[in-house]
């Protein structure tokens, strides 16, 4: 079935327009899933597999910074499922009464992505403090930015980034394009990038793990289908897809 990726900036308008449309008799019901940018590859695959098993449902995705998606939900954007990159971000949606208690489904940790050949000669997290090294971080309100700040603070390091990006995908792109010498992203993003970047590990004692929760939303237009999708993510089959992408169990 057709896969739709909606930019976050256009999400509310697109969803509100969709709510007023009618595809006609026999059209498959659609569920809209808002998911963290770091889930794009895995959730796209999960969506395809879910649709194959549930031909009566079409899944539409919007990927972006969890903080921006949470704000969309709290402001009333109609959607069916939310998958966030941190429990604190999901809690904002729960506290606003837009979702019941969520369920953890994956965990992730940080890594440093550098361009091929490692032109900045970044060997470890301490090298990010060098004024000669251009560093990209996620914005501090975004889960990947908050995790990076926690890791740097625990190491007693002060990093002045060359850029702070809106989500982890944009942060990784800076390293892919060679616009920075290093980008602090998730392990799964480095794995998915393949040869486009090289990985520099962050020691376990300094690294930060973030837990990803998922929840059906109270305003879901298709609550039964939304629950089915959440169950699929939590199933052994869904967990196998996440594990293959480098996610850990929560």
């Amino acid at each position: 079935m057709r896969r739709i990726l909606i930019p976050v900036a256009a999400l509310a308008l697109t969803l509100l327009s969709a709510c007023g449309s009618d595809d006609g008799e026999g059209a498959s019901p659609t569920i809209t899933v808002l998911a963290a940018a770091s889930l794009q590859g895995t959730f796209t695959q999960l969506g395809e597999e879910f649709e194959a098993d549930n031909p009566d449902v079409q899944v539409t995705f919007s990927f972006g910074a969890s903080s921006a998606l949470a704000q969309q939900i709290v402001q009333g954007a109609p959607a069916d499922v939310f998958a966030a990159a941190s429990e604190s971000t999901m809690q904002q949606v729960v506290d606003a009464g837009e979702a019941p208690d969520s369920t953890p489904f994956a965990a992730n940790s940080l890594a440093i992505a550098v361009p091929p050949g490692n032109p900045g000669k970044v060997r470890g997290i301490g090298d990010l403090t060098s004024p000669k090294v251009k560093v990209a971080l996620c914005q501090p309100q975004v889960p990947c930015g908050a995790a990076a700040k926690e890791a740097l603070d625990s190491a007693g390091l002060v990093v002045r980034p060359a850029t702070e990006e809106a989500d982890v995908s944009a942060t990784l792109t800076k390293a892919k394009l060679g616009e920075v010498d290093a980008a602090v992203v998730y392990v799964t993003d480095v794995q998915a990038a393949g040869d486009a970047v090289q990985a520099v590990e962050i020691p376990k004692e300094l690294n930060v793990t973030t837990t990803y929760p998922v929840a059906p939303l109270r305003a879901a237009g298709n609550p039964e289908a939304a629950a089915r999708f959440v169950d699929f993510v939590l199933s052994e089959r869904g967990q196998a897809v996440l594990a293959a992408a480098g996610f850990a169990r929560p």
Side-chain angles (χ1 to χ4, degrees), residues 43-113:
F43 265 45
T44 298
Q45 181 179 345
L46 288 171
E48 291 170 353
E49 294 188 16
F50 177 81
E51 287 180 342
D53 289 351
N54 299 268
D56 61 316
V57 182
Q58 177 180 310
V59 185
T60 297
F61 290 103
S62 178
F63 298 102
S66 295
S67 53
L69 295 174
Q71 185 178 29
Q72 292 276 359
I73 295 167
V74 171
Q75 290 177 346
D80 299 273
V81 175
F82 180 40
S86 74
E87 292 180 302
S88 59
T89 305
M90 176 64 78
Q91 194 60 44
Q92 296 172 25
V93 174
V94 173
D95 289 346
E98 299 296 337
D101 289 340
S102 59
T103 305
F105 68 93
N108 214 345
S109 55
L110 298 174
I112 301 168

Side-chain angles (χ1 to χ4, degrees), residues 38 42 106-109 186-192 212 239-249:
S38 51
T42 50
N108 214 345
S109 55
Y186 294 122
V187 168
T188 54
D189 297 297
V190 176
Q191 179 174 318
Y212 288 61
Q239 290 296 300
V241 171
L242 289 157
F247 288 93
R249 287 184 179 267

Side-chain angles (χ1 to χ4, degrees), residues 3-249:
R3 177 74 62 247
I4 305 171
L5 304 181
I6 307 175
V8 172
L11 175 61
L13 179 60
T14 302
L15 290 177
L16 288 170
S17 298
C19 286
S21 67
D22 185 353
D23 290 334
E25 185 178 353
S28 297
T30 298
I31 60 169
T32 299
V33 178
L34 311 187
S38 51
L39 293 168
Q40 182 162 344
T42 50
F43 265 45
T44 298
Q45 181 179 345
L46 288 171
E48 291 170 353
E49 294 188 16
F50 177 81
E51 287 180 342
D53 289 351
N54 299 268
D56 61 316
V57 182
Q58 177 180 310
V59 185
T60 297
F61 290 103
S62 178
F63 298 102
S66 295
S67 53
L69 295 174
Q71 185 178 29
Q72 292 276 359
I73 295 167
V74 171
Q75 290 177 346
D80 299 273
V81 175
F82 180 40
S86 74
E87 292 180 302
S88 59
T89 305
M90 176 64 78
Q91 194 60 44
Q92 296 172 25
V93 174
V94 173
D95 289 346
E98 299 296 337
D101 289 340
S102 59
T103 305
F105 68 93
N108 214 345
S109 55
L110 298 174
I112 301 168
V114 300
N118 194 1
K121 296 181 173 53
V122 176
R123 307 299 179 191
I125 191 170
D127 293 330
L128 302 183
T129 63
S130 170
K132 297 180 180 179
V133 175
K134 292 183 179 179
V135 179
L137 299 177
C138 295
Q139 294 174 359
Q141 73 272 18
V142 178
C144 61
K149 183 180 186 305
E150 183 179 345
L152 292 167
D153 287 350
S154 68
L157 301 175
V158 176
V159 173
R160 293 177 173 80
T163 181
E164 292 182 326
E165 298 298 316
D167 61 38
V168 74
S169 296
T171 305
L172 180 66
T173 296
K174 291 293 183 179
K176 283 182 177 180
L177 296 177
E179 294 179 3
V180 297
D181 300 306
V184 181
V185 294
Y186 294 122
V187 168
T188 54
D189 297 297
V190 176
Q191 179 174 318
D195 295 336
V197 296
Q198 295 175 215
V200 175
E201 292 185 2
I202 296 175
K204 195 171 185 178
E205 64 272 16
L206 299 178
N207 213 325
V208 172
T209 297
T210 184
T211 299
Y212 288 61
V214 64
L217 297 173
R218 293 196 187 280
N222 295 288
E224 190 273 335
R228 269 192 278 161
F229 182 81
V230 170
D231 287 344
F232 187 74
V233 172
L234 297 171
S235 70
E236 285 302 316
R237 189 168 159 193
Q239 290 296 300
V241 171
L242 289 157
F247 288 93
R249 287 184 179 267

